[in-house]
Amino acid sequence: MRAKAISIFSALLLSLSLTWTMPAAAEPPYAKWGRLAMQQTMQTYPQAKIVDYLHVGRKTKTPTTSEETFKLLLQEGNRVWALLVHIEFETKTEKVIAIRFEETR
C-alpha cells in the first residue's frame, strides 16, 4: 500500500513539474552590450579565457551618446589580468560608435 502511495505521489509530482514552469527571468538592459564586450574581447585576445565578468555601469557621454562599461577578468597561461571594455553608442539608435579596451588591475 505504501509503495502504491509513493508511486502515485511521484507521478503527481512529475505531472506537475511537466506542466508548471517558472516565468523566464527578464534579461537586464545591458545584456546585449555584455555579449558584444565578450565577443570583441575574444577577437582581440584570442588566446585568453574570460574567467569573470562584471557590468560596471552605463553613463551618458553627450546628450545623444552613452557608454556601457564592463570589467572582464582574463587568463592566458599563468597571466591573469583585468580588462575594462568601454562601448560607446548612440543612445537612441544603439549604433556602436567605438569600443575601447583598457587593461587594469
Side-chain angles (χ1 to χ4, degrees), residues 9-28:
F9 183 70
S10 296
L12 179 62
L13 283 177
L14 179 61
S15 68
L16 285 175
S17 68
L18 293 175
T19 58
W20 182 74
T21 58
M22 294 184 66
E27 188 174 73

Side-chain angles (χ1 to χ4, degrees), residues 16-64:
L16 285 175
S17 68
L18 293 175
T19 58
W20 182 74
T21 58
M22 294 184 66
E27 188 174 73
Y30 59 82
K32 86 176 232 176
W33 302 112
R35 285 190 293 273
L36 179 61
M38 289 191 287
Q39 290 168 350
Q40 293 299 307
T41 299
M42 289 186 288
Q43 287 181 2
T44 305
Y45 299 88
Q47 302 303 317
K49 291 189 316 185
I50 299 171
V51 295
D52 203 0
Y53 162 98
L54 172 70
H55 174 242
V56 175
R58 176 185 285 204
K59 68 179 181 181
T60 302
K61 302 252 320 176
T62 71
T64 60

